[in-house]
Amino acid sequence: MKLKETWDYVRKFYRMIRKDHPTVLFYVILGGILKGFIPYISLYYSSKILDALLASDVELAKMHIMILLASTFLLSCIERACYQSMSVIAESSYYAVWKQTAHKAYVMEYEEFEKTETMDKIRRAKNGSNGSGGVESQISSSYILVSNYTSIFCSLVFTIQLLIQSRNSSNFIIYTIILLLVFIAFMTMENYMQKRLAKIEVTMQRDNEHMNSLSAYIISSALDVQNGKDIRLYRMKDLINYWYYVFNKKINQVFKKYADTAGTYYGIIAFFMQIFTAFVYIYVGLSVLDGNISIGDVLLYTGSITRLSTTFNEAISGYNQLVYRFEYLGNFEEFINSKNMHYEGTLPIEKRDDYQYEFEFKNVSFKYPNTDNYVLKNIDLKLKVNQRLAIVGQNGAGKTTLIKLLCRLYEPSEGEILLNGINIEKYDYKEYTDIFSVVFQDFKLFPLPLDENIAGSSDVDEDKCLEGLDKVSLKEKVLSWPEKQHTRLYKDLGDGVNISGGEAQKIAIARALYKDAPFVIMDEPTAALDPLAEAEIYENLNQLVNDKTAIFISHRMSSCKFCDEIIVFENGEITQRGTHESLLEEEGLYQQLWNAQAQYYV
């Protein structure tokens, strides 16, 4: 990665972190500089103390000792404070970044959020963080890297000072040329090996990302309560253990291959570092013999030059790790700062007690991004107020997609959708979604208290919550639970109750009723219910939705009998519409679907 690219990553990364922790750069830079600088204070004053003692100037030695102790103590305290503050920020930044990511997921358009490439970026960032370090590791590495660069700068300052002091020596040019040649050779060799190691490490980390994700999936599957029944009844324990062993064996092979190569390279680097250190001692010793520097300066200059070589090694390695992490951590920043494409509307939704809202689809077509096939084609449709509308058709006909377009989870590829004569894109998005209560076939309940699931908030109207549960015939059951409607669902976050699929579907319907929106949309609302419970829901349909407009998508044709109008979809187009009785008399898909299921009703 080029230096400019790295700088752009650094700038964007810390811009993301500073949203929640504006002081992070202050602690990283100040603490890193002090960490790199403090050892040179010790080297400098130790050399002065030694020279003073050799000159029998005890008072001067005492003064240098006091300065050394005071400055080291003061600066070390500041550095430790910076380090601790940085560590706290680094730890909490992990959660801050995920909070920003979750917030973006809430507000970005669903169509973009649902894309495979969008989710792949987040998965890669998560897997990379698990295998090679995440946000907190990157901040800590930045701290160390600032320290390394500070140390290199200080080493160069003292090395240049040594060269200046030795310039009058008759053998200065020879000594210096030899030292510089050895130094250049050592640094060139080390830089070459570190680059080779960096490439190998990147390959290893990328392989490890994939293997880590597979291994983590196996573990999460084994610990998922929902999988427990199948694992036991089909004796799958050994199968899961086998695949966990396979993935971990591959992980170990990846690490071993890298460790063998890295061990060889680091061994070579350490060997040449010792040779270079020997040349440094010889050079400094010759400078002492020529009278260019004092005995005490031996400590200063040998320490400075040897620290230069070791710190240079650490800086290259740290920089490579930093750059690699940016490859996947940059996905967080890109996701968080991505633009919302269509949620720019500002018009408020008119609040109407009579629910007089009229929707119209005008020549609406839709196809998913990067595909050529239309899911919906040339849809013209008006939704009447207070209507009970059923949408039927075979799988893949476009029924659920129509609802997602209506709810602005997707935007039409062609045509427009109007609310009271105005394109829905012009309305404020939050206000617009407030007029819908939806139960999708893949609805989600969370392992939180039941009443909070229904209210979608920790602020619950308990009477309204119980009223909704009563309408779906769950009130009596819920009141028998340990904490009644406050009981936690499932066991993911602690003690809770596991509920059946039918009970979950009733709770989802109760949640839709609690919202009390003028449009009620139910996508396969009774798929998990038994026939008696389904009949009860539809028989009480008018009481459930009152004077609201209701749209039902169902594969159970019996549910259509309760609706005012039925729309039949085939291959993304509306092919039939009418009442249950009129469509039964008309040859077409509805008649075929009804006849196919009618034998089971009898």
Side-chain angles (χ1 to χ4, degrees), residues 22-238:
T23 58
V24 60
L25 278 176
F26 172 79
Y27 294 120
V28 167
I29 294 173
L30 178 60
I33 289 173
L34 290 177
K35 182 178 178 64
F37 179 69
I38 289 171
Y40 293 91
I41 296 177
S42 179
L43 285 173
Y44 178 79
Y45 280 104
S46 294
S47 70
K48 296 300 179 185
I49 292 167
L50 180 58
D51 284 339
L53 292 175
L54 290 174
S56 300
D57 192 341
V58 177
E59 292 302 318
L60 181 60
K62 287 180 179 179
M63 184 185 72
H64 287 315
I65 290 172
M66 294 300 295
I67 295 173
L68 171 61
L69 293 176
S71 60
T72 302
F73 174 77
L74 177 62
L75 295 179
S76 294
C77 287
I78 298 173
E79 189 273 327
R80 282 290 90 188
C82 289
Y83 178 79
Q84 292 301 325
S85 300
M86 180 276 300
S87 298
V88 171
I89 290 174
E91 186 70 28
S92 57
S93 289
Y94 168 83
Y95 302 101
V97 167
W98 275 108
K99 183 189 74 174
Q100 292 179 38
T101 304
H103 174 72
K104 183 63 181 184
Y106 301 149
V107 301
M108 78 184 306
E109 58 182 358
Y110 184 80
E111 181 180 340
E112 185 70 21
F113 180 62
E114 193 183 37
K115 287 181 180 177
T116 301
E117 54 265 36
T118 301
M119 288 295 94
D120 281 347
K121 288 179 180 179
I122 298 303
R123 278 190 285 268
R124 183 170 182 240
K126 184 177 181 180
N127 291 333
S129 299
N130 290 339
S132 308
V135 172
E136 63 276 28
S137 298
Q138 196 72 328
I139 295 175
S140 298
S141 293
S142 300
Y143 189 94
I144 299 300
L145 204 59
V146 171
S147 169
N148 289 335
Y149 287 148
T150 302
S151 183
I152 290 171
F153 174 78
C154 292
S155 291
L156 289 173
V157 168
F158 285 119
T159 301
I160 292 170
Q161 183 180 343
L162 170 63
L163 297 178
I164 292 172
Q165 286 185 252
S166 302
R167 69 186 184 281
N168 295 323
S169 170
S170 58
N171 297 317
F172 167 73
I173 295 178
I174 297 174
Y175 297 161
T176 304
I177 289 175
I178 292 174
L179 182 65
L180 287 176
L181 288 174
V182 172
F183 178 75
I184 292 170
F186 172 70
M187 292 302 173
T188 302
M189 179 273 299
E190 183 176 15
N191 187 50
Y192 169 77
M193 288 193 168
Q194 286 289 0
K195 284 184 176 180
R196 288 286 305 274
L197 271 176
K199 290 181 180 179
I200 296 171
E201 184 175 6
V202 166
T203 302
M204 179 270 292
Q205 298 288 13
R206 285 174 179 164
D207 291 342
N208 188 42
E209 281 177 25
H210 180 62
M211 288 297 112
N212 256 341
S213 64
L214 295 176
S215 178
Y217 175 77
I218 291 294
I219 287 294
S220 63
S221 298
L223 296 176
D224 190 336
V225 174
Q226 301 301 317
N227 299 336
K229 299 185 293 295
D230 295 295
I231 291 173
R232 285 162 175 75
L233 292 175
Y234 290 97
R235 299 175 184 175
M236 300 173 72
K237 177 177 71 70
D238 291 338

Side-chain angles (χ1 to χ4, degrees), residues 9-27:
Y9 273 123
V10 170
R11 182 173 52 81
K12 291 176 181 178
F13 176 78
Y14 278 101
R15 182 178 63 188
M16 175 176 65
I17 302 300
R18 291 179 66 194
K19 288 180 181 178
D20 292 276
H21 301 287
T23 58
V24 60
L25 278 176
F26 172 79
Y27 294 120

